[in-house]
Amino acid sequence: IVFSFPQTQYTFKEVFGTLVTQKALFDVVARPLVEDLIRGKNGLLFTYGVTGSGKTHTMTGSPGDGGLLPRCLDMIFNSIGPFQAKRFVFKLDDKNGVDVQCEVDALLERQKRDAMPIPKTPSGKRQIDPEFADMISVRDHCKVEEVEEDNVYSVFVSYIEIYNNYIYDLLEEIPFDPIKPKWNSCNTPVQNGDFIPPQSKVLREDQNHNMYVIGCTEVEVKSTEEAFEVFWRGQKKRRIANTQLNRESSRSHSVFMIKLAQAPLDADGDNVLQEREQITLSQLSLVDLAGSERTNRTKAEGNRLREAGNINQSLMTLRTCIEVLRENQMYGTNKMVPYRDSKLTHLFKNYFDGEGKVRMIVCVNPKAEDYEESLQVMRFAEMTQEVEVARPVDKPLCGLTPGRRFRNQAFKDELSRKLEMRGGPISGETEEQSVTEMLLQNFPPLPSCELLDVNDDQTLPRLIEVLEKRHRMRQMLSEEFTKNVLAFKTMLQEFDSSIVSKENYAQGKLTEKEKMITGQKMEIERLEKKTKTLEYKIEILEKTTTIYEEDKRNLQQELESKSQKLQRQASDKRRLEARLQGMVTETTMKWEKECERRVAAKQLEMQNKLWVKDEKLKQLKAIVTEPKNEKPERPSREKDREKAFQRSVSPPPAPNAPPVRLRHRRSRSAGERWVDHKPPSNVPTETVMQPHVSHAITVAAANEKALAKCDKYMLTHQELASDGEIETKLIKGDVYRTRGGGQAVQFTDIETLKQESPTGRKRRSSPSSPTPPEDAAESEWTDVETRCSVAVEMRAGSNLGPGYQHHAQPK
């Protein structure tokens, strides 16, 4: 079966392969934590990963190749071995503090411990348990180079586990028998099969706001073998179980804590300084987390299922705390970190708040079945390294002379050598008496003081004189020695003050350099993060550019196709325009020919009419020029011929028709003040029926100023009638004043002026008989003479139309 998974990249401080040695891993990860521990700073080391990924192996190691824990212990004792205090000089209290006892109290404590029948931890002379002897036989003799030589040190270890979100002490000496049933109040065993669980411990906060476990067993150890035997004793009590993924799966989080107490020696370099303020207590916690697991893969049920749920819940709380810390630092928020949701995060709250350095080792199993869980682990680990924890501030120096331990030891060695040369050391005397005796040895010898005679008066005075000289010499030497001692002390104090000032100056410079280096490291990390972000943005921009280029190519292809289509449409349009132009030209030529034909026909018709008229005139002339008869005609007949002749020449107008005059028609309402609104788009018709209003204000657009001066309003509107002729409408109304001070127009009637073309009428022909009847007067008129018409005024709403119209009526 071949598994195919997408590739995902994660970035870490250091990546170790499968063939990495325990020493290489220790030098990179744990060695800096041990150095900080000896310098008085706290440290925390996690091993984190999926079940079966090798966390416990990384922490403990295997026979012949010790893990991180035995190597840390070996480095600690290699560094402080010659400077360790005697047992019970440092005594831990129940409030996470430490006290210093004098030599007498420490001796009493040791005697009390030796008298108790408690199994003692192994010393250097006892044989090591072969079960773990190979794990602590580390050949690499690593140590911290710069150890404070004027301090004394003591190491205390404790071992706890967090199981189902309860804290249990693995070093507690209370016997725990899993076979013994729980007894009820009636002193009878319970039948449900439950057993007596060990007593859970409680977390508390000390006066320095550090979290600690109340009543936890803390053992003072003096060697690597002794410390690892304590660890191994607690390791056997740790809860493990067999699951589908791991034969010995850890069902709890184990925490092995190493506390280092250190205090400076006094000014003489002999005893520990009895000042609690000068005691430094640092702690290194090595945490082997239980593996995160999925219950559908481990097939857990019952107790195993409950254990897996509590393990995953505590690890989820750890992730949540790290995420909130990261969000608070990156975005400047002040969200509350949920430390109290789990005992694991609550115990190490101070580390995340800046009380020490935190390191995490991520163990990854390359099995394909663990791919999803490994992705979650690496994603959380990558996010964890973005959280910045502040370093604690160094404690001030005690102010005593450095190097006093070795100077005192050298002075004692030299004094012992001199006393041996003089006859051996004098036990039970103080240092000042030994120096005095050494000086008295250089005095001249006493004279013989043996008295052989009672009357001897020379021996005693001579002896008294010598003793008085020796006494004066001793006083002088004592005064000189005291003076020299004071001078030497003054010089030493000046030298100490100069050294302290130089050390303070050097420490200040070193602090500045460290700050500068820290700032540069932070800047480098920021630039690396920025580079990573920019690379990610560049990758996104490259992908976006590729998408845009593809869109650009598609749009270019679409544009080319649209351009070709437009070109085809343009060519079709040009062909259509050419066709239309040809059709227009053809139609124009056709109409020109038709017009020419109609003009020719009209000319022919006019010529025929002129010919008929000429013929009529000739006949009339013949009648007129015809000679008169000799006999007289009747007057009535002559009058009729005269009338007929006159009417044929110029017929008079009808008696009811008004005379035709070339002047404008006067409106019916011309006697009032009008606003004559004539839009500039009107076309002048120049007909005899053109309206004209006197005493009017002619405007192209109606305005308030003109309406305020008049009380009538007329709008001239032109439009095309159905027969294609221009139709003019005169829309009239009354002007009223409104309450707001303005003007309003109310329309009353409409007058319509219509112009008709006379081209459709034909001329009437006159009769050929010379004596027409009575109604021949009207028949002899032509159509041109009948074009004059009268204006008939109609009110709005009449049967003839909605206004006034001009109708041509023959006379």
Side-chain angles (χ1 to χ4, degrees), residues 567-742:
Q567 290 178 359
R568 290 195 299 270
Q569 291 179 356
S571 61
D572 294 341
K573 182 179 179 181
R574 286 195 294 270
R575 287 196 297 270
L576 184 61
E577 287 179 353
R579 289 179 58 188
L580 291 176
Q581 189 68 27
M583 293 176 64
V584 169
T585 305
E586 183 179 357
T587 306
T588 304
M589 293 176 63
K590 185 188 295 184
W591 280 107
E592 285 180 354
K593 290 180 181 180
E594 181 68 21
C595 290
E596 290 177 356
R597 186 184 63 78
R598 289 184 181 182
V599 169
K602 199 71 175 176
Q603 287 180 354
L604 182 60
E605 182 182 357
M606 295 300 293
Q607 287 178 0
N608 291 334
K609 288 182 179 181
L610 288 176
W611 181 77
V612 171
K613 188 174 182 179
D614 289 341
E615 288 297 325
K616 287 182 178 181
L617 289 175
K618 286 180 181 179
Q619 292 176 6
L620 182 61
K621 185 177 180 181
I623 294 173
V624 171
T625 57
E626 183 180 356
K628 298 180 180 181
N629 295 329
E630 291 181 357
K631 62 178 180 179
E633 298 177 356
R634 287 182 301 181
S636 61
R637 304 288 295 177
E638 291 178 358
K639 289 180 181 179
D640 292 336
R641 283 195 298 272
E642 261 180 42
K643 289 180 182 178
F645 176 75
Q646 290 178 359
R647 288 179 64 182
S648 63
V649 174
S650 178
N656 295 330
V660 176
R661 291 180 297 179
L662 294 177
R663 65 183 183 84
H664 296 291
R665 184 179 67 86
R666 185 173 180 85
S667 175
R668 183 187 59 161
S669 305
E672 298 174 348
R673 190 70 170 175
W674 286 77
V675 175
D676 191 3
H677 182 183
K678 292 183 178 180
S681 59
N682 289 346
V683 179
T685 55
E686 295 297 337
T687 62
V688 293
M689 304 304 293
Q690 183 71 20
H692 176 72
V693 180
S694 59
H695 302 289
I697 300 176
T698 304
V699 294
N703 54 56
E704 184 179 359
K705 185 178 180 181
L707 291 173
K709 296 180 180 180
C710 304
D711 53 358
K712 294 289 184 180
Y713 173 80
M714 181 176 67
L715 171 64
T716 304
H717 174 66
Q718 288 185 346
E719 61 182 5
L720 291 178
S722 60
D723 55 356
E725 299 295 339
I726 297 176
E727 185 179 67
T728 303
K729 291 184 179 181
L730 303 179
I731 304 170
K732 299 180 181 180
D734 298 329
V735 179
Y736 296 97
R737 297 185 183 276
T738 61
R739 292 183 179 181

Side-chain angles (χ1 to χ4, degrees), residues 1 133 162 176 311 318 638 655 711:
I1 300 176
I162 302 175
F176 170 66
I311 291 169
L318 178 62
E638 291 178 358
D711 53 358

Side-chain angles (χ1 to χ4, degrees), residues 375-389:
L375 279 184
Q376 297 293 332
V377 167
M378 289 191 291
R379 186 177 296 114
F380 166 65
E382 186 183 34
M383 180 265 297
T384 302
Q385 64 185 348
E386 296 180 1
V387 178
E388 297 177 357
V389 179

Side-chain angles (χ1 to χ4, degrees), residues 67-111:
L68 297 179
L69 190 145
R71 291 179 183 272
C72 289
L73 293 173
D74 188 67
M75 184 175 179
I76 291 171
F77 287 106
N78 288 338
S79 301
I80 67 171
F83 313 118
Q84 291 192 68
K86 293 182 180 181
R87 205 179 294 270
F88 298 113
V89 171
F90 290 97
K91 185 178 180 180
L92 298 177
D93 56 13
D94 296 333
K95 298 180 180 179
N96 202 29
V98 61
D99 294 325
V100 180
Q101 297 188 124
C102 62
E103 288 291 339
V104 177
D105 294 336
L107 180 59
L108 292 176
E109 290 281 348
R110 288 194 295 270
Q111 292 176 356

Side-chain angles (χ1 to χ4, degrees), residues 5 51-52 244-245 297 364-372 374:
F5 298 102
T51 298
Q244 295 289 333
L245 300 182
R297 294 185 59 216
V364 179
N365 196 334
K367 290 171 56 178
E369 293 83 357
D370 294 341
Y371 177 76
E372 296 294 337
S374 299

Side-chain angles (χ1 to χ4, degrees), residues 77 272 289 296 310 408 441 509 534 649 678 715 778 804:
F77 287 106
V272 183
L289 295 175
N296 58 354
N310 286 306
N408 186 27
Q441 294 294 330
K509 289 292 183 181
L534 292 176
V649 174
K678 292 183 178 180
L715 171 64
E778 293 184 1
Y804 304 99

Side-chain angles (χ1 to χ4, degrees), residues 431-449:
E431 179 183 350
E432 185 178 358
Q433 291 174 349
S434 299
V435 173
T436 305
E437 291 295 335
M438 183 180 65
L439 293 175
L440 291 177
Q441 294 294 330
N442 297 325
F443 289 167
L446 293 173
S448 179
C449 57

